[in-house]
Amino acid sequence: MTSNTTGFQRPKPLNHSNAHVFKHPTQRIPPFPGTENHPSRSDAEPALKKQKLDPLVAPSTHTNEQYRTFPSHSQPPDPSELQTYNASSHTANQSKVVPHDSPVAPSLVFPVRLPLDQLQIRRKRQDAVSQRAARNVGAVQTKPFVLEPPSAAPRYPSTAKSGNPGGSIALDSTQALSAEIAADFSPWGGIHAEDVLGEFTIKHGFYDKIQVAQNESGTARPTAWRNYKQQSGLNVLSSLFVAVLDQRQTHGSVTAGCTFKPPPRVTLTDSKREAWLRDLANPTIPLRRLSRTIPHGIRGRALLDHSLAKNIPTSRSLWLAKCVGANEIRAFKRKGASGAFAVGGESKWIKDWTANVEQFLDTLVGTCGTDRWRENMTYGLRLATHLFAESLLDRDHYFDWLLNTINQIDLETLPLYLLIIRSHLKEFGQSRRYGRRLAESLLEQLHMIENNASPDLYIVVKTKLVNLINLFIVASPASFLMPRRWLKYRSMLQTVIDAPHAALFEGVCQRNTRLQVMAGSDAESEVKTTHTLIEILDSIAPGTNISNIARTLWEVAPNPELLVRTCLCWSTSIFNTSCARLYIAARLLRNWSDMQVDIETHLLQFLAVDAEAADLEDASLYRIIAELIRSRHFSVGGYLNWIIANGLLRRRGVTEKVSPAIGLLTAIPPHGLSAHILNLRQNLLRSLGVTIDDENRKITQWQSLFDRKPVGQHIDLVNVSAPDRPPSDPDQLTLAVKLDVGHWIRQKLLSRSGSGQSPSERPREDTDTDPVLDESQFGTVLAVLEYLEDFVTLGDLLLFHAKSHEPQLLTAIVVTVNHYLDIFLACGTADTIFIQLMQQHTSLNSKPGYLAFVEALIDLVESLPNRSRETRMLRKERQKHEFKSSVAACSPISEHMAEALQTEHSGSSLPCTDEIEQLLASGTSMDKQLLTDVFGLIWRRFEIAGAESVQSAFTAAGLLNRLRPFDATAVAEMTISRVDELLASGSRVSCQSMWISLVCARVISLETLLNRILQALQQVDDPSIRNGLLAGIVECLTLGRRRANTSISHLYYRFYAQRQCLLRDFSPSIVSSLQRMLEFAQNTQEDSPLSIRKLLREPAFTALLRRLPNSSQQGKDVFKEIFSPVLMTEGAVQTLGKLALPSAIEEDQGSKGDRLRVLLDNVTISSLSLCRLYLEAMLISGSKADENAAPMLVLVTLEMLPSASPRKIAQWTSIVSDLPQQQKKAIGDKAETEIFVLLASTAQPSMTDFSKQLEYLLALVSAADHSVHSTVSATRILTQIHNTLIHLSASHLSSSSGPDSRAEAKDSEVSGDSLKYLKLYAILRLLHIHHTAFCTPNVSENTLTELLVQLGLFLGHPFPSTYSYLSTDICDFLTVISDLLSATIQARCIRILQKQHRLKDSRLHYIFASSDNEEDTWLQLSVGTTSSTRQPTSHPFPIRKWETMQDATPLMTENDTSISLSLFGAKKSVL
């Protein structure tokens, strides 16, 4: 259809909402309303074809409606009949629609209305089909057809209040509730304008008419163009636009005042309050409705509990908390408080609120495991996190609570608090104050888990803790700067750091290490590490696991060269000689070798450099290396090649002493070496003038000595004229001869037993072979091996014979093991021998000598570690055996036999041993008088026997011990009485044999004997008797471990064991004995054998004195106590000098300065302890006028400094560290004076000398770091440092430039920048030394603040960045010292740096922990312009966190925010 209308538009689809029925042949009939039984499309199409009706032109193709035509004679259908049709049935002809631009308009055929009877028949058929389908398939749910708009149809928001905007048929609920409706979609309803078919609509179609105003009908170009053509047209147009924008600015800006007001609180009943809280928990109820009033009384802990109980959404809980907080804070102002009072009240309320949140979280954690605790905990954590993020909590109070809590709770509760900390990890890392505390707390908790008895129980906690530590070290590496505790946590932290973070850990480790050595040089740090290693070595208890010690030493100092050197110096020092140390050192070296450490290279380096020290024993060093050769951990061939390659034999002079590196050639055991190695060794020895024939001759003589007699037969090692005397003394035998002979003896014994393997190497089933030696033969071989000092072979001998069934032999073995227990424990064979002995003792309970065997075992097991169960078992066994003996023979000794024995020997003759044994064996009891008579008879026998021989003395002492079971108390009293008489007589024999015999026979203890001697010394006045008593003390304290007489050597073992026990425990009797002996020796004439000079020539006595200060700290204290009565005398100083420097102290020592030079030149790492005591004695001895002795030490060392090595300088400073406080203070003051002289000097010195002097003086100050204790001294030094720093900054750094200074630093040795660097670094180290003293309350805060500000300014200067680590060192020092500063000083420092100096550095913000967060200062308020710069001035505008809430008022107004929008020039929004 066409139209002649101008501006024709595409006709819109007909809308059937307003149609009514016309009686016209072509009248449009409305579609039938929907019904379930409407005929389908297939049923409607035949009816359309049968009618052959004329088409109508379709006005549009954009509709889903159907159009129908009826015959001319047809009447409009009855409305009741129309209801039977479904709207979906009228889509049948939709496919016949032709586009509107077709040349021939398509026709639409209207279907003929079916008769009513046909409709009923069709409906019945459909019902029947539906019923059959329901019976067969089941009930099928049907859905009424609903006409839906096309998915591609455009949509617009609905503005209708109710119903369909088109007023058509009702749509379903989904469409009715839709926020948008489809455009141009109106299904037929009979009331729409398109539903009315009028003449105009039929002819022209339906379209919307455009209402065009008359004044807008034309263009404005002619009118506007006339104005634009004028000269001022553009100006007029510009003015017009400006005026428009001005009016827009005026009318569009927010000018109304701020109407913000927090919701008021009113008092409500409980029911209304509960209803209000339920509405708050309902998200569908808007907050503006609730903001009219809020209930009064909901605050603090109650607010949190209500939020949790009613599950109020987090955002709404925050809104309620802000409402309550804003009202509370405003209440302080309404009460009249202003200024500081209002701020203090607000701060107090916020802290109380924070405490409520903390208690709320603690309560939730306490309910862990109850119903819904997981949901409650999640809600509580989420709420607390949001409160912290909104800055509604006091940060300091909250962080303090978290850190204190994780330090106090148990490991079971820790994971819950780790969740809280993890959410605030970024905030912790922004402040040094809390970051360091958090890092230490986390590491301490991990340390507790690692050291827990059951660490596997906390594997989950450990995993969470490790993950948090890894996150925190990435977020804030500076928080792990803890130099004081770094050694404790370093190894543990290294094991838990993930591989991607290894570089971060290395950086933190380096920074902590530099802070640790800031007070000393690297060499001094090495000396401190060496002291730590020696302390660990000294603390090795008998039976300690050597493998664990080796790992511990490696963790302390993972430096193979330092470990090997320290271990060898510790074990071979003359200041603490011990065979056990040699075997401990050998086992440590083997363990490090198993850890892939090249010990051979470091051993050779030690032989070349350090082995020639005067305080090291070459024989001990050779023994260690020989044991390593035995175990194949040291290559003899490599050593020989090393000698040849280094030309050691060629460089040696004719008269020069053989160095340890070459002397080791004579100590290499020849057995087990290949032929070409033996030949090479022989050639090297020949070049030294040593023939191998002499060594082979001595070995052959020893072998022939045993070949002449069966192995084990008695060999006299005492009588020189005896034919069985060994061919040479042990001191004349080389170590190679001793070890080779010992190896030959072992092989000889093993060959006699029919086995070529040692007992430790054979299987257990092959160890039942009987031993090849009896008790006498065993004693002989034992003495020979002791003579040769081959304790490894001796251990194999004892283990091989420990399976014997002879109680006497086993007792000798037990006594020998107990005597050399420290050596066998160091070798690792003591436990094996003890286990074998325990297996044997159960089968010997019926044999003679069993009780003695058990008693020896008890002595042994009491000395072994971790053997308490065996001790109790053996004691019960002894009691059981004694009880059986007393029951078996319980009869008194015959008095007639005793009287007859006394009558028979009433004269000068004494009864023999057999007669006394027969008397004691005749009964088990005697009365007191008879006991006294028998004791006197035996004592007379003992006194005579002591003068005859040592063996007789031991036998007689054993008879005294036989009396103890009769009455131990009476025997002890009588023994002490007779000993006192013997001591008063001054008999010299008693000093040599009788005292030792009494101790070895268990008649009297060594401690009791020493106490009786000391008491006798106080009572006697005769010098000869006093000399005899002192000689007895010397004999008791210096008796060696090995005796020459083979028949009684094992009898001395008990005496030696008791003395070692007293020395180990530092018994008062030992201390008093040494003290009295030194007092007497100081006043004795030099020609006397007990003079101090001759006593110090005794190796045993000298070794005893040297061992005390080198054993432990308690030993040092005991040594000082021994020398304290005579320390102020010159003789005591000489005594200490001879002990500390045996090869350097001469008779005429010269002045005190000369003695200081000798001391400083000869001090070594092994003699440090004695050298400290010697130096202390020199500084405090003499007249009081000599007050310059301590400063003299500084001057002397400065003179010797140019030629001293770094290690020697570190040893000098280490000596100073243990001096008394007065001497340290004097040395420290002198060193600081010299430092400030160097720093103030304007000369250009040699950089090498300047650096060396400065390094040494700083090390001296560090060693005497306790000298600054008074406030006056600290303030004086702080002022001097501050002035020096200001002078350095003003005169030097002002002329430095960043890029140029790096080039200048590489120029000459006297470079100005290098000098500046050294001075600045010296100031940093001096500050680090005294930083604890500077932070005391009495030190001037102004001076300290100025100093810290000056250092902070250095961080912004380009000069420190030109030198490696200097800028980092400044930052790290400020970081460490900030831990000791008060909050006031920190705030003052950051305020001065940021406001006065305009220095914006995140490192300074982190260090000084500024309380002003960046989010609080981002908003600035402009207050006007200055007259000079005409720039607006501004200051931070604080935001009230408690008033930043949404929907605070019930009505929305123009300016209802907490911050007035007029401050920002806000515009009104136009919708």
Side-chain angles (χ1 to χ4, degrees), residues 538-615:
D538 287 337
S539 65
I540 297 178
T544 305
N545 192 324
I546 301 298
S547 300
N548 295 338
I549 295 295
R551 286 192 294 269
T552 302
L553 294 172
W554 180 261
E555 291 174 358
V556 172
N559 183 354
E561 190 270 335
L562 179 61
L563 283 176
V564 172
R565 185 176 74 244
T566 305
C567 182
L568 293 176
C569 290
W570 171 79
S571 57
T572 61
S573 172
I574 63 174
F575 297 99
N576 200 345
T577 56
S578 172
C579 291
R581 290 193 172 197
L582 305 181
Y583 295 100
I584 290 176
R587 291 184 65 186
L588 287 173
L589 293 172
R590 292 190 190 107
N591 277 274
W592 290 328
S593 178
D594 297 338
M595 295 167 60
Q596 307 304 319
V597 176
D598 186 10
I599 63 171
E600 184 175 351
T601 301
H602 300 298
L603 281 171
L604 295 176
Q605 182 180 358
F606 182 84
L607 286 172
V609 178
D610 302 299
E612 296 186 14
D615 58 343

Side-chain angles (χ1 to χ4, degrees), residues 1291-1313:
S1291 61
H1292 296 290
L1293 296 185
S1294 59
S1295 61
S1296 298
S1297 60
D1300 297 337
S1301 60
R1302 183 180 290 107
E1304 293 176 6
K1306 298 179 181 179
D1307 289 343
S1308 64
E1309 196 176 43
V1310 292
S1311 172
D1313 281 353

Side-chain angles (χ1 to χ4, degrees), residues 297-314:
I298 301 179
R299 60 182 180 180
R301 179 65 183 277
L303 188 151
L304 300 172
D305 291 338
H306 280 300
S307 299
L308 175 64
K310 295 176 175 56
N311 197 19
I312 299 176
T314 307

